[in-house]
Amino acid sequence: MSLIISEEVEVNGRKITTLYLNNPQTKNSMTWEMSHEFRAEIEKIQSAKDKPSCIIITGKNHIFSSGGDLNLLKSFRDKSYDENCRDMFIFYSNFLSVRRLNIPVIAGVNGHAMGAAFSLALACDARVFSLTGKYSFNFVKLGIHPGMGSSYIVKELFGKDMANYLLLLGEAINGEEAKSLKLCYDAVSSEDVVKRSMEIAINISESAPQAISLLKQNTYDHSDLEKALRKEAESQAKCFQSSDFAESILAIEEKRKPFFTGN
């Protein structure tokens, strides 16, 4: 089964590619394998001679993504600090390869997006959220430092106050709240998210491709994001060795609230 499904349509002579996260057993959770498939699709698009004018990233199964896969999280307990530093940097870099595309990317967030999935959505150039979806950077609730570039991306896009609000509290907001906070371009019903994303993609595709490409290249500071990813990987690797992280995994499995001690 492909964990990333690619579909292409042509509108007014311009190609638009949709990439679907597809892990139905675990609500499109982001696995190690999915990260590599995702990066392969991004690199395939980037190297193509006939590139699409816009890309939409969304989820199959009426959900965007539940975030980092639980089995993946549990595996970090059995690895060394150095292994986790390396693996987390690779995992996050694979998904954030979307930032290196010189093509506009729209996140069609058609359901819940938690943790790393919320980060992936914000790493895109534009976002459409589901009104009833839940969106949260729940990292601290799991006993770990925020990842997937969230500690950098949220501050870059929305400022330090918003970063503190979203990352320190780790609480879920819905699509309507996200729109009021200007985290997305629009919030619509889950069924209309991809349609609305396509409307935005068509609008973008009508602009001059070279101008759009140069704008995308000049918008982001890749070196600063890479530094942030390395710091996040180091911080998370330290958290993975803590008793609090072990408690969070146990609490998830026992379906209860974790009790953290700071150890």
Side-chain angles (χ1 to χ4, degrees), residues 27-66:
K27 299 180 180 179
N28 295 343
S29 65
M30 301 163 80
T31 64
W32 184 250
E33 294 77 15
M34 180 186 282
S35 81
H36 288 294
E37 284 192 34
F38 185 86
R39 183 164 197 150
E41 286 293 339
I42 295 298
E43 291 178 347
K44 179 181 176 181
I45 291 169
Q46 185 73 299
S47 62
K49 291 183 178 180
D50 185 19
K51 293 182 177 66
S53 59
C54 200
I55 296 167
I56 298 170
I57 295 175
T58 189
K60 285 285 188 182
N61 324 306
H62 308 290
I63 190 170
F64 189 70
S65 173
S66 59

Side-chain angles (χ1 to χ4, degrees), residues 46-90:
Q46 185 73 299
S47 62
K49 291 183 178 180
D50 185 19
K51 293 182 177 66
S53 59
C54 200
I55 296 167
I56 298 170
I57 295 175
T58 189
K60 285 285 188 182
N61 324 306
H62 308 290
I63 190 170
F64 189 70
S65 173
S66 59
D69 185 73
L70 179 58
N71 287 328
L72 179 64
L73 289 173
K74 290 168 67 174
S75 73
F76 298 140
R77 288 286 297 164
D78 301 322
K79 294 181 180 180
S80 69
Y81 171 83
D82 289 338
E83 287 175 315
N84 281 328
C85 283
R86 177 199 65 205
D87 290 349
M88 292 314 301
F89 181 79
I90 293 172

Side-chain angles (χ1 to χ4, degrees), residues 138-145 239-240 242 244-245 248 260:
N138 60 340
F139 296 103
V140 294
K141 301 292 187 184
L142 298 175
I144 56 176
H145 187 281
C239 291
F240 290 145
S242 70
D244 278 347
F245 178 64
S248 76
F260 296 129

